[in-house]
Amino acid sequence: MNQRFLLPLLLFMITASAAIAQPYNTLWIPDTLSGTTFALTMNAATKQFRTGAVTNTYGYNGNAYLGPTLIMHKGDSVQIHVTNNLMDSTTLHWHGFHIPAMMDGGPHQPIPPGTTWSPMFRIRNNAATFWYHPHLHMMTEQQMMMGLTGMIIVRDDQESALALPRTYGVDDIPLILHDRRFDNSNQLVQDTYGDSMLVNGTLSAQLAAPAQMVRFRVLNAASERAYNIGFSDNRTFYVIGTDGGLLNAPVPVTRKVLGVGERVEIIVDFSGQSGQSVDLMAYNAGQKMGYPGSEPQASGKFGSALNNRNFRMLHIAVGPSTTAPITVLPKQLTTITFLDPTAVNVTRQVKLTDGFNGSAFRFDSTSFNMEVINKTVHLNDVEIWELKNISAFSHTFHIHDVEFNILSRNGVAPNAEEHGWKDVALVNMNETVRFITRFEDFADPEHPYMYHCHIGFHEDGGMMGQFVVVQSPSGIAEGGITTGGSGLRIAPNPATDLLTVRINGGDIAKVQIINYAGMIVTERTPSANGAVDIAGLPAGLYFLRATDTRGISRVGKFIRM
Ligand code: C2O
Ligand code: CU
Ligand code: CU
């Protein structure tokens, strides 16, 4: 039995006094950055959240809390300069992006204090809502709690052609949800649950919305709590997109549970409602055991004033419509090509385990170890992962690199609003979730991707594993190739136009440049000094296989900027 459900109801009854009514604060809308070159700087700051003492925080780009919204376009090659001006190491992970593992910003790409990390990659994801956050092992929860989180909006031609609300901050509103706990001197407390709901870092937030169709990009960036979102008048709203892109068609709902790490894009129709108001709510009362935030106690380690209650997240005051409002929804949004469960190369099971009597949650009763690769996946394989939750709580399972389609929950096909591309799945207590995915594009035996529970303390506590994607047996991994090191030198790296390639003690006879799909892009005979012209290659990460005049081959990697 999970200890968090054992505390007496007495505590709840003492502390469940209703929140004192307070004036609303205007919902903060993060600034946007767009283009193909971005700069993000992490800084410590202070923010006046409450009356009295300021709160120590972290933010990006001079913001006291959270970061700018990055707007990127599918197909663009982007570079981001990430500067760490904190006192601690950190990382920056592009949650949901299909990019090389080296660029992923997971625990293996630390950014020491005072340094800049400059990953680059091509945006291959479809238009959707993604996010960025730190991912330093055992520090993720703390650094996110202090305010390191931002949203990413990917646009593409297909989504742009639809008549959907798309004016950022006007009829297309980012909503970063999390709850936080403040101590008596107004400092953030690193605890499972907070007692105060923040939306975009705003307490008691209010939004002035136009009287028309409004799109909300909702991100659950909490440490642990799930939000069963709905509106105070029980109105129907429309789910148009999941973590990784648009659904085939808008799905009408009155409630949508969002677990930690998940995003949902919804459309709410405020047409003709100018002068009225409605609240965006979390209908968290009476959820089943294991639901994050269902614990009865109102204070203490797993307690919170928001537990097991319905509470307001955002007050929405509807005002006049804009000049060219969206008033009808497209009937069709996209046509998803779902992966075929009858054409699967590998089926795996991951058990979500432990948590009884206060033990740390794990996968397959094994704690995360930075030095251990838990799974090896073959490039281009289609896999089914069966997530079997036999632990004492619900979890949100997230996998890097790929997006997946949920096949079933306890054998039943998912609801229509979940039948799209996902990178996080809530796996309820006693539930088995099966998903299907395909591992395309980026084989790299040296750099793993993560999969983990996105609940902060669970992830930091060891509920994480890692996998590498390798070339299938017919690919370049065969034939005794040494990857990296071993006397091969490639300089400069990254490079823009000219590489110098050397193998100790030999003259280079031939150079092959291989892309991440394992295809030979070009074969060159370098000049006498080992110079190879790469100016004509698209930006990206490549393998380089050099063979010297003695017939010795070495493989390394380089980045074409
Ligand atoms: Cu949102 Cu592994 O991360
Ligand atoms: Cu991620
Ligand atoms: Cu978990």
Side-chain angles (χ1 to χ4, degrees):
M1 179 67 204
N2 190 330
Q3 62 181 23
R4 66 181 66 190
F5 294 104
L6 287 178
L7 285 183
L9 274 167
L10 185 63
L11 261 176
F12 173 71
M13 298 177 70
I14 295 168
T15 48
S17 58
I20 297 152
Q22 38 186 321
Y24 295 115
N25 301 307
T26 302
L27 177 74
W28 181 65
I29 304 287
D31 285 345
T32 60
L33 293 176
S34 50
T36 54
T37 305
F38 297 84
L40 287 173
T41 300
M42 292 163 265
N43 49 267
T46 57
K47 183 173 158 83
Q48 188 82 54
F49 277 108
R50 316 209 293 181
T51 51
V54 294
T55 303
N56 293 316
T57 55
Y58 293 162
Y60 296 95
N61 292 14
N63 290 300
Y65 194 77
L66 305 178
T69 297
L70 310 182
I71 299 183
M72 299 179 174
H73 291 263
K74 184 179 181 180
D76 279 359
S77 288
V78 301
Q79 182 166 41
I80 309 103
H81 302 290
V82 186
T83 300
N84 178 7
N85 284 341
L86 303 172
M87 303 292 280
D88 282 323
S89 285
T90 185
T91 83
L92 198 145
H93 169 56
W94 317 100
H95 179 125
F97 274 9
H98 177 51
I99 51 179
M102 273 179 80
M103 305 295 169
D104 195 41
H108 295 279
Q109 288 91 42
I111 313 170
T115 66
T116 297
W117 178 60
S118 297
M120 54 178 130
F121 44 81
R122 185 175 301 250
I123 307 299
R124 294 168 183 250
N125 295 78
N126 290 335
T129 304
F130 301 93
W131 59 305
Y132 59 93
H133 63 75
H135 215 308
L136 191 70
H137 184 43
M138 304 204 291
M139 293 294 285
T140 299
E141 206 285 333
Q142 191 263 344
Q143 294 183 341
M144 285 181 64
M145 188 263 314
M146 292 293 284
L148 293 181
T149 289
M151 190 175 272
I152 308 176
I153 295 173
V154 170
R155 303 197 187 284
D156 67 17
D157 294 346
Q158 196 195 9
E159 188 272 342
S160 297
L162 294 168
L164 287 172
R166 195 176 290 110
T167 308
Y168 181 83
V170 176
D171 63 2
D172 185 346
I173 311 289
L175 297 179
I176 300 174
L177 307 180
H178 54 224
D179 46 279
R180 291 289 186 262
R181 173 159 291 169
F182 295 89
D183 68 13
N184 290 335
S185 44
N186 286 349
Q187 299 313 305
L188 290 163
V189 181
Q190 195 185 4
D191 234 338
T192 307
Y193 297 120
D195 309 298
S196 305
M197 187 67 209
L198 293 171
V199 183
N200 299 348
T202 310
L203 285 162
S204 304
Q206 167 173 252
L207 171 75
Q212 60 204 59
M213 296 272 184
V214 173
R215 177 186 199 160
F216 294 97
R217 299 172 185 268
V218 195
L219 158 65
N220 182 341
S223 292
E224 179 144 345
R225 193 183 303 279
Y227 304 104
N228 180 24
I229 65 177
F231 290 85
S232 52
D233 57 3
N234 281 323
R235 68 177 58 205
T236 295
F237 56 99
Y238 299 87
V239 177
I240 60 163
T242 50
D243 302 332
L246 293 168
L247 291 169
N248 280 341
V251 177
V253 298
T254 55
R255 296 285 185 271
K256 173 77 183 92
V257 173
L258 208 58
V260 172
E262 288 187 288
R263 289 87 66 207
V264 68
E265 291 187 22
I266 63 171
I267 301 264
V268 186
D269 189 3
F270 298 115
S271 300
Q273 293 164 20
S274 186
Q276 299 173 24
S277 65
V278 66
D279 290 337
L280 172 69
M281 300 286 294
Y283 286 98
N284 276 10
Q287 295 290 330
K288 44 182 185 284
M289 179 127 120
Y291 178 93
S294 66
E295 296 89 330
Q297 61 270 28
S299 64
K301 186 157 163 51
F302 298 117
S304 153
L306 301 177
N307 275 3
N308 191 30
R309 320 175 44 158
N310 303 332
F311 57 90
R312 182 180 59 229
M313 298 196 284
L314 176 68
H315 182 69
I316 301 167
V318 184
S321 58
T322 61
T323 45
I326 302 286
T327 54
V328 287
L329 274 181
K331 289 223 158 23
Q332 169 130 26
L333 300 168
T334 187
T335 306
I336 297 173
T337 309
F338 290 99
L339 292 167
D340 178 3
T342 64
V344 166
N345 304 93
V346 177
T347 298
R348 303 176 190 268
Q349 189 184 63
V350 178
K351 288 199 185 81
L352 287 59
T353 63
D354 303 284
F356 298 95
N357 302 313
S359 68
F361 296 104
R362 300 184 290 179
F363 290 132
D364 298 311
S365 305
T366 306
S367 291
F368 177 68
N369 181 340
M370 283 282 276
E371 311 302 324
V372 174
I373 302 295
N374 304 88
K375 312 227 176 282
T376 299
V377 167
H378 284 141
L379 185 67
N380 291 324
D381 270 7
V382 176
E383 297 201 356
I384 288 177
W385 287 38
E386 182 174 291
L387 312 171
K388 191 174 167 61
N389 187 353
I390 54 170
S391 78
F393 203 60
S394 299
H395 303 278
T396 62
F397 185 94
H398 169 50
I399 186 167
H400 292 207
D401 178 29
V402 292
E403 290 170 354
F404 55 79
N405 306 134
I406 295 178
L407 293 172
S408 62
R409 292 182 170 276
N410 280 347
V412 179
N415 292 339
E417 67 270 23
E418 227 185 14
H419 197 40
W421 293 108
K422 298 278 297 162
D423 57 57
V424 181
L426 182 62
V427 186
N428 295 297
M429 204 170 145
N430 300 320
E431 192 174 44
T432 296
V433 172
R434 303 180 94 229
F435 71 69
I436 186 167
T437 188
R438 185 171 175 183
F439 295 86
E440 292 176 302
D441 299 312
F442 309 115
D444 181 347
E446 288 182 0
H447 296 92
Y449 293 103
M450 304 293 127
Y451 58 92
H452 56 93
C453 174
H454 218 295
I455 290 177
F457 288 101
H458 299 185
E459 172 186 343
D460 284 345
M463 199 177 200
M464 180 151 69
Q466 43 192 351
F467 67 96
V468 289
V469 180
V470 299
Q471 294 285 340
S472 47
S474 58
I476 66 154
E478 208 168 60
I481 284 177
T482 319
T483 306
S486 323
L488 174 67
R489 287 180 50 218
I490 306 173
N493 195 0
T496 48
D497 47 10
L498 219 52
L499 287 177
T500 303
V501 181
R502 290 215 171 80
I503 292 178
N504 282 348
D507 293 317
I508 304 291
K510 191 177 77 177
V511 161
Q512 285 178 338
I513 294 173
I514 300 151
N515 70 14
Y516 254 76
M519 290 177 317
I520 297 170
V521 202
T522 173
E523 204 168 291
R524 307 279 175 80
T525 310
S527 63
N529 61 0
V532 180
D533 183 358
I534 55 154
L537 293 179
L541 190 58
Y542 295 88
F543 288 101
L544 184 150
R545 177 197 216 166
T547 308
D548 69 14
T549 47
R550 302 165 299 180
I552 295 174
S553 279
R554 295 281 181 258
V555 172
K557 289 188 208 107
F558 74 91
I559 291 164
R560 158 80 168 92
M561 287 223 279

